[in-house]
Amino acid sequence: MATPHNTAEKKDIASLVLMAGNPQRVKKMAEENLKNCRLVNSVRGMFAYTGTWHGRRITMMAHGMGCPSMGIYSYELFKFYDVEKIIRVGTIGALRKDIPLGSIIVAEKSFTKTNYNNFFLDNGASFVSANKQLFETAKCEFDKRQISYYAGNIYCSDNFYTKENQVKLGVEKHLLGVEMESAALYINAKNLKKKALTICAVSDNVATNEELSAEEREKIFDEIVDVALAVLTKK
């Protein structure tokens, strides 16, 4: 079933989906990780590729920036394409001085003030949760590979440029970092009884004003993608 934002046929989308914000990053992920991958959507430049990883059928798709964009693409995947699991891989700004650049954060819950939350759940400012099974599986996978990570709650903001004191909010709510898409993904998953998780690499630190170069971001990203694929395909 095609939508205004996705021209793929229903059969072209796998039930397991890995998403990232940047379409070019999705292209790179698909070309480097999927066998026999093919482009199944390019509407508005939001590339989607389907192929196989260790024999399991996987779709990788871009979601753009912010809750409205993530909200559209993840909702359509869950609702119209019968997707069962979505893992978002992306970057995040740390909200604590002691979290180094390049660290990995697995998001158990996302605190948000976004109006997307009010539209679907009428919850106001609140926490929304990842799927517990995916969250625990991700921790086990990182532990097995002896890759260090942080597991906990993050902040999903509607604003990239803001006057809000996000570091102070992070202290008050015990938040590890801030990004812009996890809440919409988790809300859609909860609303449609699906499974979702967010795994991010720390690209900058809001508390210290440090940031990684583009090249450094890609290096840590490869590690996250491999773990995310293992978690997605775990039965």
Side-chain angles (χ1 to χ4, degrees):
M1 173 188 287
T3 74
H5 318 98
N6 190 340
T7 56
E9 296 296 325
K10 191 172 182 178
K11 61 181 176 59
D12 292 331
I13 301 292
S15 63
L16 308 176
V17 176
L18 189 66
M19 301 192 82
N22 185 340
Q24 292 302 321
R25 179 173 283 160
V26 169
K27 182 176 184 291
K28 179 176 183 290
M29 283 164 35
E31 291 175 347
E32 293 181 353
N33 293 279
L34 298 182
K35 289 186 177 180
N36 303 315
C37 78
R38 62 189 183 93
L39 181 67
V40 296
N41 180 68
S42 60
V43 176
R44 295 175 180 261
M46 290 297 179
F47 300 144
Y49 295 85
T50 297
T52 60
W53 184 82
H54 292 195
R56 297 294 301 278
R57 198 161 174 265
I58 300 286
T59 293
M60 296 183 175
M61 185 171 183
H63 59 65
M65 291 187 288
C67 280
S69 187
M70 167 59 91
I72 289 171
Y73 292 105
S74 61
Y75 184 90
E76 291 182 349
L77 289 170
F78 284 142
K79 180 73 173 180
F80 304 123
Y81 287 92
D82 292 340
V83 169
E84 291 298 322
K85 301 178 189 177
I86 295 177
I87 294 182
R88 156 172 151 70
V89 290
T91 54
I92 192 168
L95 292 175
R96 287 178 9 194
K97 290 183 178 180
D98 64 323
I99 299 179
L101 298 180
S103 299
I104 295 168
I105 292 178
V106 185
E108 180 176 18
K109 295 180 181 179
S110 178
F111 178 75
T112 188
K113 304 175 186 179
T114 179
N115 199 47
Y116 199 85
N117 198 20
N118 299 329
F119 181 77
F120 272 105
L121 302 176
D122 195 23
N123 278 346
S126 63
F127 286 91
V128 287
S129 299
N131 175 262
K132 185 176 181 180
Q133 179 187 12
L134 289 181
F135 176 70
E136 295 297 335
T137 301
K139 291 195 299 178
C140 288
E141 193 65 31
F142 280 118
D143 288 340
K144 183 175 72 175
R145 300 180 187 215
Q146 298 183 322
I147 299 172
S148 61
Y149 64 95
Y150 293 83
N153 302 333
I154 63 173
Y155 178 36
C156 183
S157 175
D158 278 341
N159 302 313
F160 187 85
Y161 300 105
T162 179
K163 292 182 180 179
E164 180 180 38
N165 189 333
Q166 295 179 333
V167 174
K168 181 180 178 182
L169 179 67
V171 172
E172 292 173 353
K173 300 291 184 181
H174 306 289
L175 307 173
L176 299 173
V178 56
E179 48 81 83
M180 300 180 68
E181 291 85 25
S182 59
L185 176 60
Y186 289 2
I187 288 166
N188 283 344
K190 179 178 181 179
N191 190 47
L192 297 170
K193 296 179 173 53
K194 305 288 186 169
K195 298 178 180 180
L197 180 66
T198 294
I199 304 173
C200 289
V202 175
S203 58
D204 60 287
N205 190 304
V206 181
T208 64
N209 292 317
E210 299 173 292
E211 62 180 45
L212 294 177
S213 67
E215 294 76 15
E216 290 170 326
R217 294 183 189 199
E218 290 304 323
K219 184 177 180 181
I220 191 69
F221 213 79
D222 292 340
E223 203 168 44
I224 291 178
V225 169
D226 195 61
V227 170
L229 286 167
V231 175
L232 259 184
T233 54
K234 191 81 170 180
K235 294 182 179 179

